[in-house]
Amino acid sequence: MGIVAGLDSSPDFTRIVVCDTDTGAVLRQGYAPHPVEGRPSDVDPQAWLLSLGEAAGGGLLEGVQAIGVSAQQNALVPLDAQGNTVRPALVGGDKRAQVAAADLIDALGGREAWAQAVGCVPQAAQPVTKLRWLAKNEPENARRTAVLLQAHDWLVWQLLGRPVRRTTDRGGASGTGYWSAATGGYRPDLVELALGHQAMLPEVIGPSDAAGTTPEGLLISAGTGETMAAAFGLGIGLGDAVVSLGASGSVMAVHPEALADQSGMITSLADATGMHLPVVTTLNAVRTLRGTAELLGLADLESLSELAMKSTPGSHGLVLLPYLEGERTPNLPHTAGTIAGLRRESMKPEHLARAAFEGMLCGLADALDVLRGRGVDVRRIFLLGGAAELPAVQAAAPSLFGAQVVVPQPADYAAIGAARQAAWALGVSQGTLDPRTPPAWQGAAAQVLEPGDELAVGQAVRQQFTAVREQTHPGAFRS
């Protein structure tokens, strides 16, 4: 049928994949870092365009009929009435905005009011909170702000030649803090609450709709945030969850309806297909492993994994509560980590190494249980991140999660998801695909791990962890 491209503009780089529209096979790819040192909180969006141009060099996009755009979430691009940036984009988990988040929660009447309004409680990273920060700290810039875009909205708008119409998708809009996944509509009153006045917001178009066509005739699909694009690239559906192992961790699953959670543990996002994507995050995942490796004088996580495999499930009674940076799930922002079960026989490096892996995975299993407790069906778990390849993770995860674990081969799933969206919009525009059914691309190549006979052992390890958690932080999971 043809070829399409998916473009993923992450916080650090742009990656482009060119795919076959029928199968999703990656035919060629490009990469370029953003011309920005480190990870600043303020970034000129032109940096994203520069790396996009570099990544697309050498005729990479030759013959491409449609492009999908995925980009970092939570980046706020404030524009003036003429469409010029008022100031650099506010990106990332901006710690400057922590006070603004608390202000906003109080201003609307508490966490429950926000959960009911937009499915999430304001956090420092979210655009709505950055608007409040802007109004308090840069009032002149706030006054000049007339249009609000996110990274993928801005890139789509640029690719289309900066038309009058500006668009976004449900996935991107659901992370702003001023769009409700439950109602499918904006809350302009929350923009005004944060910014001090109204601003123009991009039109939310459907998952298979096109944002427009470039002057050269290239179709541009709706675009979406990186999280939604990665889920779409992996091909997850009902009954699937994704556990991402970064320094912090996240658990998300596909669900047919939006979830309002007054505790603030669940962020109710929309996905790139018309479904919903509730997300629960933990602050401590791979940082738990790195800290333990340093404590034990080990050079890398592979060495920690090798050492942990010399221990046995339950780590001889040693339990590590991995709340090293405080914790969000459960909500214990000012706590520290805990080691329990120290006995003479458990005081060996291999048992501490094993306890670090079990503690990290039990923390993520707790996050999974938050979703399961709200009726989310979880039968299969995709495990992402470099640490997913470690033998100690693969040995323990299926029994601790109580489900089949799938470890996909490393790939640019956000870029592939963006390309799949482009293929969908192209097929709909040509009348060859149903607007409600995305193209059936080949699933990710993966290793499949079953809990099997280890299930009972894993549940015993979790009970040991839960007992220590309840004793140390009684009622932590009661909202």
Side-chain angles (χ1 to χ4, degrees), residues 36-236:
V36 177
E37 289 295 317
R39 278 201 179 183
S41 299
D42 299 318
V43 174
D44 182 347
Q46 293 296 330
W48 308 333
L49 278 184
L50 287 168
S51 77
L52 191 167
E54 194 181 328
L60 184 78
L61 300 179
E62 201 173 310
V64 164
Q65 295 166 278
I67 295 177
V69 177
S70 147
Q72 60 180 301
Q73 282 150 245
N74 297 322
L76 176 71
V77 187
L79 304 180
D80 64 18
Q82 286 71 47
N84 301 312
T85 49
V86 168
R87 70 178 313 285
L90 291 137
V91 300
D94 199 332
K95 291 193 172 173
R96 294 176 300 186
Q98 283 173 336
V99 172
D103 278 354
L104 279 177
I105 292 168
D106 290 345
L108 195 65
R111 301 169 73 84
E112 189 171 354
W114 277 97
Q116 293 297 336
V118 288
C120 57
V121 178
Q123 295 141 28
Q126 283 181 299
V128 72
T129 309
K130 288 168 176 166
L131 287 179
R132 181 70 157 206
W133 181 89
L134 196 63
K136 294 283 186 192
N137 294 276
E138 298 178 3
E140 182 52 38
N141 284 338
R143 275 193 291 276
R144 288 177 52 220
T145 297
V147 182
L148 303 176
L149 297 180
Q150 293 187 87
H152 84 263
D153 311 336
W154 188 84
L155 284 165
V156 164
W157 184 57
Q158 295 292 328
L159 289 172
L160 291 172
R162 295 164 59 106
V164 173
R165 181 191 189 217
R166 299 178 183 92
T167 62
T168 190
D169 86 308
R170 296 168 66 255
S174 67
T176 58
Y178 43 79
W179 185 87
S180 165
T183 65
Y186 280 117
R187 289 288 303 265
D189 57 316
L190 299 182
V191 173
E192 189 163 350
L193 181 71
L195 185 61
H197 62 85
Q198 294 289 345
M200 280 185 65
L201 301 168
E203 177 190 342
V204 181
I205 61 176
S208 62
D209 291 346
T213 307
T214 69
E216 299 77 31
L218 259 178
L219 183 134
I220 308 291
S221 62
T224 196
E226 272 189 320
T227 298
M228 301 81 193
F232 196 42
L234 280 166
I236 68 168

Side-chain angles (χ1 to χ4, degrees), residues 288-298 304 320 339 352:
T288 305
L289 305 183
R290 293 204 186 285
T292 308
E294 286 171 19
L295 182 66
L296 292 171
L298 300 172
L304 185 71
L320 173 63
I339 296 177
L352 180 57

Side-chain angles (χ1 to χ4, degrees), residues 219-265:
L219 183 134
I220 308 291
S221 62
T224 196
E226 272 189 320
T227 298
M228 301 81 193
F232 196 42
L234 280 166
I236 68 168
L238 289 172
D240 291 335
V242 177
V243 173
S244 293
L245 300 176
S248 53
S250 71
V251 177
M252 63 180 175
V254 179
H255 197 56
E257 59 194 39
L259 297 176
D261 173 44
Q262 68 187 59
S263 74
M265 283 194 288

Side-chain angles (χ1 to χ4, degrees), residues 3 8 43 45 82 110 127 151 167-168 185 214 269 276 282 337-338 463:
I3 57 173
D8 176 40
V43 174
Q82 286 71 47
T167 62
T168 190
T214 69
L269 300 176
H276 294 270
T282 68
T338 303
Q463 283 169 359

Side-chain angles (χ1 to χ4, degrees), residues 339-362:
I339 296 177
L342 282 171
R343 293 188 177 85
R344 182 67 193 87
E345 64 272 17
S346 65
M347 294 176 76
K348 291 185 177 172
E350 60 266 32
H351 303 323
L352 180 57
R354 177 93 189 193
F357 283 96
E358 289 178 346
M360 174 187 77
L361 293 169
C362 284

